[in-house]
Structure formats: C-alpha cells, structure tokens
Amino acid sequence: MDCLLNPPPQSILDLKAHAHQLIFRPRLDSFTCNACGLNGDRSPYICVQCDFMIHQECFSLPRLININRHDHRVARTSVLGVVNSVCGVCHQKVDWTWGGYSCQRCPQYVIHSKCATRNDVWNGKELEGVPEEIEDIKPYVVIYGNIIQHFSHKEHYLRFHVNGFFRDGNKRCSACTYPIGLQSFYECIDCDFMLHQNCAEFPRKKWHMLHNDRLTLVTSVAEFFWCIACRRMSNGFKYQCGYGVLDVLCCSVSEPFVHPSHPDHPLYYIRQVKYRQCYGCNGRTYNVLTCIESCCGFVLCFCCATLPQVVMHRVDDHPLSLCYGEKASGKYWCDICEKELNPSTWFYTSKDHRASLHTKCVLGDFAGLMPRSTIKYGSRSYEVVLNNSVSRPFCRVCESHCMYPISLKMLGTSDPYICSLNCQKRLNSLDNLTKKLEALYVLKTTKKESDDDDRTQLQALLLAEETAKKEPDYADRMQLHFVPLVSCSICKRLEVVVNDISQTGHGDRYKLVCMYCKYCCYASTNKVLTLKRHIYGGFEDQRLEP
C-alpha cells in the first residue's frame, strides 16, 4: 500500500551511490547489494551498463564518516578490493568484491556498510565537504635529553626515570592515581607531580569504542567522576565528551586487546544484547571484552581488564601478583577480611602462594582517588587519606577497623573515617533522610492539626518522594518504603510509618523515630533496639524500651 501511494521513482541519478543512472526493477528477484554486500529479495535499483544493484535504503549511506573504532576517517567505496580481510567492527570476514567503507590511510582497514553506520559506532554526521581537523594532539614536548614539558603541568618540567619506587605507596601517578610501582615514570623537578611513562603518552584527543564522538583528555578534575566502562570513582585524568566520561585506564583499552589471562586470543568489544558474566569477577555487565574465536566464550569486564598485575600491600613484604583463578577442592580464605575466597575468580597472591586476598580487599573502593585530595560526596566534604598508620582508624558507619588502603576522612567532624563506598552511601542516605524528615516536621508544625487538606498534602509529599525513589541506593539497600502517616514513637508529633521488608518479609508496620528527636534509626514496638543518635556528625548508642 505504501508503494502504491508513494511509488518509488523509475530512475535515479545519484552520483553518491553510483556514477550512472539507476533503473528501478519492481519484481521479486534475489540479488546481492553492491553497496552493503547483503542479500535482497525484491525491487532493486540496477545499472545495466555495470551490472550494479543496490537496495533502496542504501542510497542514504554517507560518503565520508568517523567511527569510534578507528582514528582516521573512513570513506564509502563500491569495491573494497582487500582480499582476506575482516570487518573492523564485527570482525567477520568481508567479501572484497562488494562495497563497504575503507580507510585511505590504512589500506587494510575495511568495514561492512551496515556495521559502519550502526548507531553505536557512528555519530550520524556526514563529513563530505567538511575539512579534516589537523591539530597537534601530542601530550608533551621534549625540552632536552630526558626532560619534557607535559601539557597538564606546564609550570614545571618533568624528568624521566627508568625505575619506579615499588615500596613507596605515597608515590602515585596523577593520571591513573595508582602507585608508581616498578614502571618507568616522569617526575616533576620542583614538586611531587608524577606520571607513568604510559600515562604521559596518552593523546589529548582519542576515539573510543564506548562513545561515538571523539573524547578529550581532561587533566584538571575538580570533582570525582564515575567511569562509564568500569563504574569506578576517580579524580585522576579523564577522557570526556558531554556526559560520556572514561578514566584513562579504561580509555587505553583498544582493539585488539591482549590480556595475560587469555594470551592465545585477542579480545574485542562486541555490542551485547544481554548481560554477560565476566571470567575474572563473575560479575554481570553489558560492557565486556569478548573472545571471538569459536567455542571459546571468554569474557572480561573493563574493571578486571585494567586491574594492576603486581601490587604491594601491608599484609605481605613481597609483591602480590594477580592470579587468574584456580581449580581447588579446599577452601581459600582472604588474609585481609578473613572471609572465604572463591578460588575460581581472580585474586592476589604472594610469591610463595601462601597468601590469598580478594582484589577488592587489596585495592579498596577508593583506589581511583588521589591521596591528599579533597572531594565532595553528597552533602559532606572528605579528604582522601592513605590507611598506612600503625593503628587503623575506625569507620563511623560499620564501626570496624578500616582495612582498605585508602579511606575517606570527613572534614569538620570528631569521628571522621569512612572505609568503603557502601558505608559512604549509607551515611549519605541517612543524611538525606534526616533533612527530609526535619523539613516535613517543620511543615507539619506550621499547619493546624485538624486541617485535613494539610494532612493530605503531607502524605502526598512523602509518598511522592519515596515512590519516585530519589534515593535508590538507600531504598534498595534498606528495602524501606513509606506508607500513610502515624505518630512518632517518641515525640508523637511527626507521623511516619515504614515497612521493613528485609526483617520480616511480611510488610509489618514499624514506627519510625522522627528526626526532630535526633534519631536516625527505627525502633520496633515489641523489642529493644539500639538507636543511633545523630549529634554533630557523630553517633552515640542509645537504648529505647518498648
């Protein structure tokens, strides 16, 4: 019906598609499109002179584009002409007799037409007639000998050193924030600024397979960010374009990627339609690197792909090496958290293989944060500190010794340490809940108790905020949701009831102690619970008898 109402033109002269006039052939006829190399079953446009056939939809294929898998522009061609080649996106074989996209600078780089114009590969911009940007994107200039000037640290010169400070955890790279280790590095002549040699050579602009536009290297990071590839927090250097942000470690992963855990086959980023399980951590995610060899199925997430191979930790005097899993009948125990370790997943081990440690326990949640820097998370400001003192500090949330190598120290408090991201999120959620309930109490006390409209307004406000899940971390972890209001179990003024699904599983009603009373935990009506009193950023244990 659509063809009847809007019949296609009988002939077309489109020099972008073909040099000669194309004739419409309205019949069921199997053919192979010369533009994309895919089979068709009806109504092609043909060139009798050249025996050329093309899909109707292939007329719109662009002539010159940028893709996120290659640093140069790629141009459309009617015959690829490269024998025994594979597509640079899907890594399947390409028939050299059909059309596709090729790079004029790299003769062996070819791509299927449909792969090059996918919405996760191409940004949708036609570049024909647009001059190519020619700019100097080198990150540093050589002053003389082994002295350079890096664009991120123009005020001082950097000197090259072949060997790193392996046992000094204070010496850290400002780009990736990891310790210098045994790698070659550049050190500032006048201050403590340092860069790994590899990090100093990162280009100022770069294409990456996880983002369609070219990313720019940002070195002055005011606040921390979350990497879209590995989901780690960092305040080191980053590659950014709009809302797409990658840390330098993940952005350095390019195709083909060869990892020591899978040395026989290279890994590629293949777009996934469902979650895949990582061989390193058993986690499930979309952004994975995959082995394309048949019957292999090796999958690696970006977080595991960028783990350091060798680290130092206070639990052992020798370097700890990354172990890629073992088949063991007995149980393994982590020497840091003293909990059971799954030997089939990756872990760190000592030289004599007597120690086994979780990768998270060795690195911690804040490994991407630069020590002595200051960040703001939620409503609080923190200083990033190394946990290298003789006596480990207590975490104010989980009330245990901080076991990770980097912790957060809250500014302006007497009980200042946070050991993990989970503890920080719990504290942040409690702060948000405190402010919300205090605001509701102020609103409640300014209204008349008998005013039904005001009561309905309070109920709607509380229900709307919680059902919208503006605090998803708190809701998911504590599994709390709010229902119609009742009186506070202490002051009888703020009216809130909460369901504790995690404790009962039946949605039993528990009365919440209002924030006006400076309490931030709920109390059961049938047993004694420990309440945490919120006093100027600190907690004190209190007991409430039913």
Side-chain angles (χ1 to χ4, degrees):
M1 181 61 71
D2 184 61
C3 293
L4 180 63
L5 297 177
N6 301 294
Q10 296 301 308
S11 63
I12 290 179
L13 180 60
D14 189 346
L15 297 181
K16 290 185 177 181
H18 191 65
H20 305 137
Q21 190 174 34
L22 300 173
I23 308 299
F24 182 59
R25 190 175 184 178
R27 65 179 62 180
L28 293 176
D29 191 3
S30 298
F31 70 99
T32 301
C33 177
N34 288 85
C36 65
L38 299 179
N39 294 328
D41 59 357
R42 67 188 64 198
S43 303
Y45 277 87
I46 66 172
C47 175
V48 180
Q49 181 179 350
C50 303
D51 193 22
F52 179 87
M53 294 186 181
I54 185 173
H55 291 117
Q56 296 183 40
E57 59 269 21
C58 288
F59 281 116
S60 60
L61 289 174
R63 292 287 297 275
L64 189 65
I65 61 174
N66 268 323
I67 64 170
N68 60 12
R69 298 298 204 285
H70 197 61
D71 292 331
H72 309 140
R73 293 181 175 186
V74 292
R76 177 182 166 188
T77 179
S78 58
V79 178
L80 290 173
V82 181
V83 183
N84 297 327
S85 59
V86 295
C87 175
V89 174
C90 69
H91 308 289
Q92 302 298 319
K93 187 176 180 180
V94 175
D95 191 335
W96 67 273
T97 61
W98 304 115
Y101 286 85
S102 62
C103 177
Q104 297 177 353
R105 299 187 188 180
C106 310
Q108 299 299 318
Y109 191 83
V110 295
I111 317 166
H112 292 122
S113 297
K114 296 299 183 183
C115 292
T117 53
R118 279 176 11 194
N119 57 7
D120 65 322
V121 175
W122 176 45
N123 59 10
K125 297 178 181 179
E126 165 70 74
L127 300 179
E128 187 178 21
V130 179
E132 187 172 5
E133 296 181 8
I134 301 176
E135 55 183 326
D136 184 13
I137 59 175
K138 293 182 179 179
Y140 63 84
V141 294
V142 178
I143 305 302
Y144 57 89
N146 60 352
I147 304 297
I148 68 168
Q149 184 182 40
H150 197 269
F151 83 99
S152 65
H153 198 69
K154 293 182 178 180
E155 57 270 25
H156 302 141
Y157 292 157
L158 307 180
R159 178 183 286 112
F160 179 70
H161 296 270
V162 177
N163 297 321
F165 307 97
F166 193 73
R167 295 185 177 275
D168 193 346
N170 295 324
K171 306 293 185 180
R172 290 181 174 256
C173 173
S174 297
C176 66
T177 72
Y178 277 78
I180 293 296
L182 288 177
Q183 302 180 48
S184 302
F185 69 101
Y186 289 95
E187 182 180 19
C188 180
I189 297 175
D190 298 320
C191 64
D192 58 354
F193 182 86
M194 295 183 183
L195 292 174
H196 287 122
Q197 182 182 11
N198 293 335
C199 296
E201 295 173 353
F202 287 141
R204 300 182 67 171
K205 292 193 175 183
K206 183 178 178 64
W207 292 93
H208 195 268
M209 49 202 160
L210 293 182
H211 194 73
N212 284 357
D213 291 308
R214 191 162 63 161
L215 303 166
T216 302
L217 182 60
V218 180
T219 60
S220 56
V221 181
E223 287 291 338
F224 74 91
F225 61 91
W226 297 95
C227 175
I228 62 174
C230 62
R231 300 305 304 163
R232 290 178 297 210
M233 61 187 309
S234 174
N235 61 354
F237 293 1
K238 63 181 178 180
Y239 280 95
Q240 183 175 15
C241 177
Y243 294 104
V245 182
L246 288 146
D247 62 36
V248 291
L249 292 177
C250 291
C251 202
S252 64
V253 175
S254 59
E255 298 177 325
F257 180 73
V258 179
H259 194 271
S261 64
H262 197 67
D264 296 333
H265 305 145
L267 305 178
Y268 299 90
Y269 175 73
I270 307 295
R271 183 176 60 173
Q272 304 294 327
V273 296
K274 60 181 181 179
Y275 285 115
R276 298 291 302 276
Q277 187 170 357
C278 173
Y279 271 57
C281 62
N282 286 341
R284 299 176 65 85
T285 181
Y286 282 111
N287 294 330
V288 293
L289 298 163
T290 308
C291 179
I292 62 174
E293 297 293 330
S294 59
C295 302
C296 182
F298 184 84
V299 173
L300 197 62
C301 69
F302 277 82
C303 187
C304 293
T306 54
L307 286 175
Q309 298 296 313
V310 180
V311 296
M312 286 294 294
H313 195 275
R314 61 190 300 173
V315 76
D316 199 294
D317 293 334
H318 299 94
L320 302 176
S321 302
L322 185 61
C323 180
Y324 308 121
E326 294 180 356
K327 294 182 179 180
S329 56
K331 290 186 176 181
Y332 279 52
W333 301 90
C334 176
D335 290 354
I336 297 178
C337 66
E338 299 180 353
K339 295 181 180 179
E340 188 174 354
L341 182 147
N342 182 5
S344 63
T345 61
W346 291 6
F347 59 93
Y348 283 100
T349 183
S350 59
K351 182 179 180 179
D352 54 6
H353 299 283
R354 293 183 179 180
S356 55
L357 310 101
H358 291 114
T359 56
K360 180 180 177 180
C361 293
V362 172
L363 300 175
D365 290 333
F366 307 125
L369 299 179
M370 196 68 178
R372 298 182 298 277
S373 62
T374 302
I375 65 170
K376 186 174 182 180
Y377 198 135
S379 59
R380 296 178 181 270
S381 296
Y382 302 89
E383 180 187 359
V384 183
V385 295
L386 287 172
N387 183 15
N388 55 2
S389 60
V390 177
S391 59
R392 295 179 298 165
F394 274 96
C395 174
R396 63 163 295 179
V397 177
C398 64
E399 298 183 345
S400 60
H401 283 290
C402 298
M403 60 182 178
Y404 302 127
I406 295 180
S407 57
L408 299 182
K409 181 179 180 181
M410 287 183 291
L411 301 178
T413 60
S414 58
D415 191 12
Y417 290 96
I418 300 295
C419 70
S420 66
L421 192 59
N422 184 50
C423 289
Q424 198 286 326
K425 289 182 178 179
R426 289 174 57 191
L427 179 63
N428 190 45
S429 298
L430 290 174
D431 288 341
N432 292 338
L433 185 60
T434 300
K435 292 180 180 179
K436 181 182 297 184
L437 294 180
E438 285 181 343
L440 286 174
Y441 176 75
V442 172
L443 181 61
K444 179 71 169 63
T445 55
T446 58
K447 305 290 184 179
K448 294 181 180 179
E449 295 290 341
S450 60
D451 193 343
D452 293 337
D453 293 337
D454 295 337
R455 179 182 179 84
T456 304
Q457 180 182 1
L458 283 172
Q459 288 181 337
L461 176 61
L462 188 58
L463 287 171
E465 288 184 350
E466 293 303 326
T467 53
K469 290 188 177 180
K470 293 185 177 180
E471 300 169 4
D473 295 327
Y474 183 80
D476 293 342
R477 184 170 55 255
M478 303 298 291
Q479 298 185 2
L480 299 177
H481 65 277
F482 291 86
V483 292
L485 310 175
V486 295
S487 299
C488 167
S489 60
I490 295 181
C491 68
K492 310 299 182 183
R493 286 177 283 194
L494 177 62
E495 302 180 352
V496 180
V497 166
V498 15
N499 289 344
D500 182 12
I501 304 174
S502 61
Q503 267 198 6
T504 65
H506 301 91
D508 294 341
R509 291 153 63 99
Y510 286 83
K511 293 182 179 180
L512 183 73
V513 181
C514 73
M515 292 303 104
Y516 182 78
C517 300
K518 297 299 181 183
Y519 289 96
C520 55
C521 282
Y522 52 90
S524 169
T525 57
N526 56 8
K527 61 181 179 180
V528 178
L529 287 180
T530 299
L531 300 180
K532 303 290 187 178
R533 173 165 257 207
H534 190 69
I535 303 177
Y536 304 110
F539 288 105
E540 293 181 0
D541 289 339
Q542 299 289 333
R543 291 281 179 176
L544 178 69
E545 297 295 337

